[in-house]
Amino acid sequence: MTQDQASRWKRMQEWDQRPLRLDSFSEESPENGFAVFHSPWDPAPGLTLGPDGAILEMDGRKAADFDILDAFIAAHHIDRTVAAEAMALDSTVVARMLVDVNVPREGLERLARGMTPAKLAEVVGRLSALESTFAYSKMRQRHSPGNQAHVTNAKDDPLQLAADSAIAVALGFDEIETTMRVAGNAWANALACTVGAAAGRGSTLFQCSIEEAEELKIGLAGLATYAETVSVYGSERSFVDGDDTPWSKTFLTAAYASRGIKARCTSGAGSELLMGFHEKCSVLYLEARCLCLQRAMGVQGTQNGGVDGAPLTASMPGGIRELMAENLLAVWLGLECASGNDTKTSESEIRIGAKITPYLLAGSDLITSGFGSIRAYDNSFNPSLFNAEEMEDYLVLQRDFEVDGGLAPLTEEEALAVRRQAVEAIDDVLDELGLARADAGMKASVIHASGSDDTETFPPVRTLQISRDIAARGLTALDVVRALALRGHRAMAENLMSMLRQRVSGDYLQTSAIVRDGKVVSAVNDPNHYSGPGTGYRMDEARWSRVKAVRGTINRSHVLDAEGSHEAPTGSAQFYPIGKAGKGHDPHEVVVGISPAFGERLHRTTAGHAVSDVLDALTRGILEGGGMPRVVRIRHTADTSFLGLSAAHLAGSGYGIGIQAKGTAIIHHRDRLPHMNLELFSNAPLVSLEQYRAMGRNAGRMTWGETPEPIIVTNDGQALGARFHPRVALLYAIETEMSEPGAEPEEMFFASAERNA
Amino acid sequence: MSTDARNLYPLSEKAPHLVRSKTGLGLEDFTVDAVLEGRIVAQDLAITPEALRLQADVARATDRDRLAENFERAAELVAVPQEMLLDTYELLRPGRAKSADQLRERATLMRVDYGATRIAALIEEAADVCERRGLFTKRF
């Protein structure tokens, strides 16, 4: 656009510079596959059963014309015993049942087993974003929410992968997923993450995302416990282009279980569109087909909610609403749901925060199917919705809404301790197994590193060699247990052993299973039975006290320690009471009314100025303006307006300045109403000493009948309330505590530091 | 197994006596010391058909019949060697088999050599549908 800059509205130009403008927004266009909830090409829901129970027609297609998805869904998803009843129900009635706390989840799951993809899509399409979120919280499978981390590294560095896995476990992630920059590094990555995940409290499910054959081998060696690379697609041609059929994926799902590996499918809005085979259908309808297929395959769960197609879906109107709707479909079908949120869908931090919020409120088996627990540039899957950079924002969101997003804050000491433990352990394991040896400098750089840019570690060829050696020698998790134990990492060996023990029982193969503190928790032994207030998951006291303990919280003693010492800063001006204050007579006298704690218990304003310096600036200013300053301590109030008004009543000129210890200041006149001041510095954190001096000068000039320009303290848009209000509230409480109703004002002797000298 | 299979879950806590590794180790044998003494071998990391069938009972008792069937198919695959497992998966992918008959032969092999009747039925179903949909086109 070559528009003349001068002819533009400047606001639009400013908006052009916002990160939001980097996002793309697409228009609806069903013929091109850009349809979210409904396309004119979506079939109407329908099911015709023959007398023998055979499906003759489904969603507008005759059995003879069924494509591979229809055929599989008809054969394995549709429950003939419920189908007639379920399909006959009005979709709005079913939608209302989904949000009705009196209709149990199990009953709704029974109905879903008799519904076709088009019917399921139609029902969830009747729910608003809020209703979908609520229904999701009711229908999700496991009672307690969880979360999954990506742990990857741009250098595929075993040392840092171990350290970062340990951090992920310490933060509370129930699953860790890794992948490689170089496919050949798979075994080194898997071994490093396995070791790191055994640090600290240990026990977490772990996945090494790579091509199926390799993933099965790694799993068989005990170096991985779950897989989520079983991708399915909602149209026949995209399925075939994805190089699979429903039968090959069903076989693969069984193959994973046969090796003791938990599996989940991957699907999501927009994938068919990205692959060019959308059949002009809405993304929700195609995803409904994927999810019916997944139930039919007998997989325990899914990761959906856009996943890689999330940014494309988010570009469409109502796209984010659709992502929650398809997650709801998954849990309604009885599937574990790792609910997406694993792709950065926007450059706008506001859109990112808004995207995650419904999931935090509703809870989810795995709120993200990959939180970037490492720096965004280290994420070999591509940056996630949240990354290490934004970790603390996420932790604070949990605290804001009092919800369990699966994580809890770590202190720096705790973090360094598990990193050190993990790095020493992986180094010992590599050495014990004759694979490699790291030097002290490498280890130290990794322990303290945020991302791979900060490390001095193995060169890439060395890492590749480690990986090849692990594979070639057929090393397994048992070798890792042995190495850990022999090198004195007994607790870590025990943690890893407890995970290997789980493989034999297969308990974690059940729906929504995770391992916490060595015990399996799943939809079988920890089912979600939400049925309204007073039911469902709530954090217990112990959990909440961990979740809410974000870094940098303050309380009264911190504030007093930091700013409320009884001692004035050394070398500062002296001021002390010299008796009861009376009314002055000098027509140019300006009284400065200081608050009860000013220079008494509190010595610093929120801007960081010593209160004595502020007082000095005010009195100098008054003199410069032609006034006579007098300092009086007001003892009956700490309110700025009344401090100012009380000072004005004592002043010979009728002009007074009121000031609180935190720095809020006001010019008042005795004939004015309490809240009709002449000038006010309300944003104390922003006021400079020069501005206090100018305020004093204005008060002095007012005594000569002048009307000076008010002093403007500019605010560039800082969230001053967020930055200062906890401190302000605590400081002000000290002021009010020191004020005594009816106490008389005190005359103060005040001399600046230099005059004292 | 009765509908009370739910009461067995988790097997590792409620019914550990029902779980044995391939070489006959119980869960209580899975200790670090046993590893150090060489009493646990790589084969012990594998799940057994029996454990998978118990998990199928649990799944069925919690109204997840499809998941149960998956565990039952998995139980049949435990004995299938890795090479054969991957080769069969590969064969089921689009265009790998030249004809439906090639898939049907594999189904027979699964049934005869491994007693994998459910897996065989799955492969035969794939053969039928892929034949109707013409999915035996060469892809590479």
Side-chain angles (χ1 to χ4, degrees):
Chain A
M1 188 156 50
T2 55
Q3 205 175 346
D4 173 19
Q5 295 296 304
S7 70
R8 294 194 62 195
W9 184 29
K10 194 154 183 287
R11 182 80 50 81
M12 283 285 181
Q13 290 179 282
E14 291 163 3
W15 285 344
D16 286 346
Q17 301 309 311
R18 301 265 301 169
L20 176 74
R21 280 289 125 207
L22 295 167
D23 290 358
S24 29
F25 302 97
S26 55
E27 293 175 4
E28 284 166 297
S29 145
E31 63 276 26
N32 296 309
F34 284 74
V36 176
F37 278 86
H38 183 70
S39 156
W41 284 274
D42 285 351
L47 190 72
T48 312
L49 298 174
D52 57 346
I55 293 177
L56 305 178
E57 187 176 331
M58 184 177 75
D59 290 346
R61 200 174 277 172
K62 300 249 184 290
D65 302 325
F66 281 174
D67 66 14
I68 51 175
L69 283 100
D70 300 318
F72 202 93
I73 289 167
H76 302 286
H77 161 65
I78 302 286
D79 181 343
R80 313 293 196 273
T81 63
V82 211
E85 174 196 348
M87 291 300 289
L89 287 169
D90 178 81
S91 291
T92 303
V93 170
V94 184
R96 294 175 67 104
M97 290 165 75
L98 281 168
V99 292
D100 185 343
V101 296
N102 299 308
V103 180
R105 175 169 61 83
E106 291 80 357
L108 282 155
E109 284 175 22
R110 181 182 153 272
L111 291 175
R113 296 197 282 268
M115 289 185 185
T116 63
K119 179 70 174 176
L120 290 160
E122 183 174 88
V123 172
V124 298
R126 303 272 161 99
L127 299 169
S128 71
L130 179 63
E131 289 158 352
S132 294
T133 305
F134 182 74
Y136 187 79
S137 72
K138 174 183 145 184
M139 298 301 296
R140 63 188 180 77
Q141 298 291 306
R142 195 191 331 103
H143 174 74
S144 55
N147 213 336
Q148 182 197 109
H150 289 164
V151 177
T152 59
N153 189 271
K155 294 178 181 169
D156 287 338
D157 174 17
L159 301 180
Q160 199 165 19
L161 285 162
D164 287 343
S165 294
I167 288 290
V169 172
L171 284 163
F173 287 105
D174 295 303
E175 287 184 352
I176 291 177
E177 180 184 21
T178 194
T179 196
M180 294 64 59
R181 293 293 159 106
V182 178
N185 290 334
W187 288 87
N189 270 41
L191 184 120
C193 291
T194 296
V195 170
R201 73 177 170 94
S203 77
T204 191
L205 294 175
F206 167 67
Q207 172 187 205
C208 183
S209 183
I210 189 172
E211 175 270 329
E212 296 85 0
E214 202 74 355
E215 195 156 339
L216 276 164
K217 282 186 207 156
I218 290 171
L220 202 56
L223 295 172
T225 36
Y226 81 98
E228 63 182 9
T229 48
V230 190
S231 303
V232 304
Y233 306 95
S235 69
E236 180 173 285
R237 292 187 67 191
S238 48
F239 218 116
V240 170
D241 243 34
D243 209 15
D244 271 295
T245 70
W247 296 272
S248 66
K249 286 299 194 193
T250 304
F251 183 88
L252 183 64
T253 301
Y256 278 124
S258 77
R259 268 52 180 165
I261 302 170
K262 174 185 171 180
R264 74 169 64 92
C265 281
T266 297
S267 61
S271 60
E272 300 82 7
L273 192 47
L274 285 169
M275 295 175 80
F277 298 113
H278 49 71
E279 298 179 351
K280 303 182 189 177
C281 292
S282 67
V283 296
L284 179 66
Y285 167 68
L286 292 175
E287 179 60 9
R289 278 164 54 96
C290 289
L291 292 166
C292 289
L293 183 73
Q294 290 173 42
R295 188 185 98 73
M297 288 164 58
V299 71
Q300 64 81 33
T302 189
Q303 70 163 332
N304 79 334
V307 191
D308 291 346
L312 176 58
T313 310
S315 79
M316 299 183 214
I320 299 292
R321 178 186 155 221
E322 192 282 340
L323 296 177
M324 177 56 95
E326 67 178 50
N327 292 136
L328 171 59
L329 271 184
V331 294
W332 185 15
L333 285 163
L335 298 169
E336 174 200 56
C337 186
S339 43
N341 297 313
D342 56 351
T343 310
K344 198 169 181 182
T345 45
S346 177
E347 293 288 0
S348 155
E349 292 200 329
I350 292 174
R351 288 187 82 203
I352 298 290
K355 171 76 178 77
I356 200 71
T357 301
Y359 294 87
L360 283 170
L361 301 184
S364 184
D365 289 330
L366 296 146
I367 289 177
T368 75
S369 40
F371 188 121
S373 74
I374 62 297
R375 289 288 300 276
Y377 69 76
D378 271 326
N379 198 326
S380 306
F381 296 101
N382 280 330
S384 188
L385 187 69
F386 278 76
N387 301 285
E389 287 87 334
E390 300 88 30
M391 178 62 75
E392 289 200 310
D393 300 67
Y394 183 90
L395 295 173
V396 170
L397 286 175
Q398 295 186 127
R399 183 179 185 267
D400 287 344
F401 290 106
E402 199 174 338
V403 292
D404 191 340
L407 310 184
L410 273 183
T411 65
E412 196 165 349
E413 295 72 31
E414 289 165 337
L416 284 169
V418 294
R419 292 184 71 82
R420 194 167 288 119
Q421 186 190 12
V423 169
E424 292 299 344
I426 184 70
D427 181 39
D428 285 341
V429 167
L430 292 175
D431 185 44
E432 182 67 30
L433 297 176
L435 294 164
R437 177 99 250 198
D439 64 40
M442 286 160 69
K443 289 190 278 185
S445 83
V446 170
I447 289 165
H448 295 280
S450 173
S452 61
D453 282 356
D454 310 324
T455 62
E456 297 293 330
T457 189
F458 297 117
V461 286
R462 191 78 197 84
T463 300
L464 189 59
Q465 192 57 48
I466 293 171
S467 194
R468 283 180 179 159
D469 290 348
I470 297 168
R473 289 170 49 195
L475 296 174
T476 72
L478 293 175
D479 298 300
V480 179
V481 169
R482 191 177 300 115
L484 284 169
L486 289 174
R487 299 298 282 261
H489 304 282
R490 185 77 190 195
M492 289 176 72
E494 298 283 358
N495 280 343
L496 181 50
M497 204 58 216
S498 99
M499 289 303 293
L500 296 179
R501 194 178 300 128
Q502 295 292 349
R503 300 175 65 88
V504 185
S505 61
D507 288 324
Y508 65 63
L509 302 177
Q510 294 288 349
T511 305
S512 306
I514 49 175
V515 182
R516 284 193 182 137
D517 301 320
K519 290 188 188 300
V520 170
V521 182
S522 74
V524 178
N525 63 346
D526 185 37
N528 178 22
H529 281 141
Y530 179 74
S531 59
T535 68
Y537 177 79
R538 293 287 167 87
M539 285 179 278
D540 59 23
E541 267 310 308
R543 175 73 185 151
W544 173 228
S545 52
R546 287 193 58 216
V547 167
K548 71 185 176 187
V550 299
R551 210 155 56 94
T553 57
I554 58 168
N555 60 32
R556 187 183 154 96
S557 62
H558 296 141
V559 170
L560 280 178
D561 288 349
E563 1 199 348
S565 68
H566 287 264
E567 300 299 317
T570 48
S572 62
Q574 299 287 310
F575 50 111
Y576 46 86
I578 50 173
K580 182 174 172 299
K583 194 166 164 21
H585 300 288
D586 186 322
H588 298 290
E589 181 190 67
V590 176
V591 169
V592 180
I594 60 176
S595 62
F598 190 100
E600 178 66 32
R601 298 261 315 266
L602 303 174
H603 297 280
R604 213 161 270 286
T605 71
T606 47
H609 308 305
V611 292
S612 50
D613 290 344
V614 171
L615 202 50
D616 191 38
L618 285 170
T619 53
R620 275 168 198 265
I622 292 166
L623 286 166
E624 285 164 9
M628 265 307 293
R630 176 160 68 106
V631 179
V632 167
R633 182 180 307 281
I634 311 293
R635 296 168 56 224
H636 71 283
T637 182
D639 177 89
T640 333
S641 294
F642 289 97
L643 288 171
L645 198 55
S646 304
H649 277 282
L650 292 171
S653 68
Y655 288 94
I657 291 176
I659 184 161
Q660 298 173 324
K662 63 189 170 68
T664 307
I666 200 168
I667 305 180
H668 227 310
H669 186 266
R670 67 174 165 234
D671 296 338
R672 298 182 75 87
L673 289 168
H675 300 292
M676 292 293 287
N677 59 68
L678 291 161
E679 274 191 47
L680 170 68
F681 288 170
S682 58
N683 285 334
L686 303 176
V687 185
S688 67
L689 287 174
E690 193 40 57
Q691 285 168 323
Y692 282 113
R693 189 164 170 171
M695 176 185 251
R697 198 155 51 228
N698 278 1
R701 288 174 61 191
M702 286 174 191
T703 70
W704 292 91
E706 293 180 39
T707 309
E709 288 268 344
I711 311 305
I712 306 296
V713 178
T714 54
N715 179 347
D716 296 332
Q718 301 99 318
L720 293 175
R723 295 188 195 193
F724 294 103
H725 275 178
R727 248 165 75 199
V728 164
L730 291 163
L731 292 173
Y732 193 58
I734 294 166
E735 294 264 34
T736 54
E737 195 177 88
M738 288 181 70
S739 61
E740 294 168 48
E744 294 291 338
E746 278 175 342
E747 195 77 30
M748 301 294 288
F749 172 80
F750 172 73
S752 68
E754 57 199 77
R755 275 186 286 161
N756 269 344
Chain B
M1 195 62 55
S2 71
T3 50
D4 292 323
R6 257 179 294 190
N7 299 331
L8 299 178
Y9 185 87
L11 298 178
S12 55
E13 293 166 38
K14 304 264 183 74
H17 57 283
L18 296 179
V19 181
R20 295 272 140 199
S21 80
K22 190 169 179 184
T23 67
L25 297 178
L27 291 177
E28 69 283 2
D29 299 319
F30 277 70
T31 63
V32 173
D33 288 328
V35 174
L36 290 174
E37 291 156 19
R39 284 187 277 121
I40 302 183
V41 294
Q43 285 181 64
D44 291 310
L45 299 182
I47 195 163
T48 60
E50 294 73 28
L52 283 163
R53 292 205 177 93
L54 282 170
Q55 295 298 350
D57 293 336
V58 172
R60 204 162 265 123
T62 54
D63 281 337
R64 293 190 174 90
D65 55 347
R66 306 297 129 150
L67 180 61
E69 287 169 21
N70 173 50
F71 292 149
E72 285 161 352
R73 283 189 290 266
E76 294 181 347
L77 291 177
V78 170
V80 177
Q82 192 81 348
E83 292 276 296
M84 176 55 72
L85 189 79
L86 294 172
D87 193 66
T88 305
Y89 170 54
E90 186 64 17
L91 198 65
L92 280 164
R93 301 177 97 165
R96 305 304 200 279
K98 302 286 171 286
S99 67
D101 285 343
Q102 201 180 337
L103 282 177
R104 291 190 184 109
E105 280 165 28
R106 182 57 59 92
T108 305
L109 183 146
M110 283 285 153
R111 190 177 283 119
V112 173
D113 289 9
Y114 302 102
T117 54
R118 290 176 176 83
I119 290 290
L122 180 80
I123 299 173
E124 283 160 353
E125 184 185 314
D128 293 346
V129 180
C130 292
E131 189 163 50
R132 182 170 61 74
R133 299 298 294 170
L135 291 180
F136 294 107
T137 346
K138 191 171 174 357
R139 284 175 54 79
F140 58 85

